[in-house]
Amino acid sequence: RIKSGQGQSNMMFSTSQGYADLQGRERKKKQGNTMAVARIPFSDDVKLLTDRNAYLSYLESQLDRVNATAMVVDTFSARIEEAEGRMVHANERINSIKHAVKVAQSFSEQLETDLRTQIQRHTSMHTRSEDRQNELEHA
């Protein structure tokens, strides 16, 4: 493959061409995958792989995309953590309110029981006093 005078540049092309072929085969495997990342056309892949500056520029753009995605993920992660914190706080408040309601319900039940007892006591006292009054009137 290497002819005299062409040396290193031709060897780089043959290695890059092999890499491009491998990438082309990988792309064919992923064609049915809807989750596959949008890629540049195959002819542009070959051009990028044979032109070092273009390839480095392509890699830098991919790195920028990855960094931007990582920042978005970090943002969403922070939002999720904040929402989880608010949920924990809300659950604590709900539990506190539930406890207060149970205490108030217990108090009202005890108060109702005490009032019923007092009503029964007053009713029986009233009945006895009426009975005595009737005894005094008839005697």
Side-chain angles (χ1 to χ4, degrees), residues 11 15 21-22 35 40 57 84 103 114 120 135 137:
M11 189 166 36
T15 304
D21 289 339
L22 177 64
M35 297 293 288
I40 54 179
S57 177
E84 286 175 345
V103 168
D114 291 347
Q120 287 174 352
E135 284 178 11
E137 285 178 2

Side-chain angles (χ1 to χ4, degrees), residues 64-118:
D64 289 342
R65 287 177 60 201
V66 168
N67 284 336
T69 303
M71 290 189 333
V72 168
V73 167
D74 286 343
T75 302
F76 281 116
S77 177
R79 284 180 170 177
I80 289 170
E81 286 178 12
E82 181 182 334
E84 286 175 345
R86 280 189 254 146
M87 276 185 12
V88 166
H89 181 69
N91 283 336
E92 289 172 351
R93 289 180 62 196
I94 288 169
N95 288 335
S96 176
I97 291 169
K98 279 173 43 178
H99 178 71
V101 166
K102 284 181 181 179
V103 168
Q105 184 178 7
S106 175
F107 177 76
S108 70
E109 288 171 355
Q110 183 63 43
L111 184 61
E112 181 183 6
T113 303
D114 291 347
L115 287 175
R116 286 186 190 277
T117 304
Q118 285 181 2

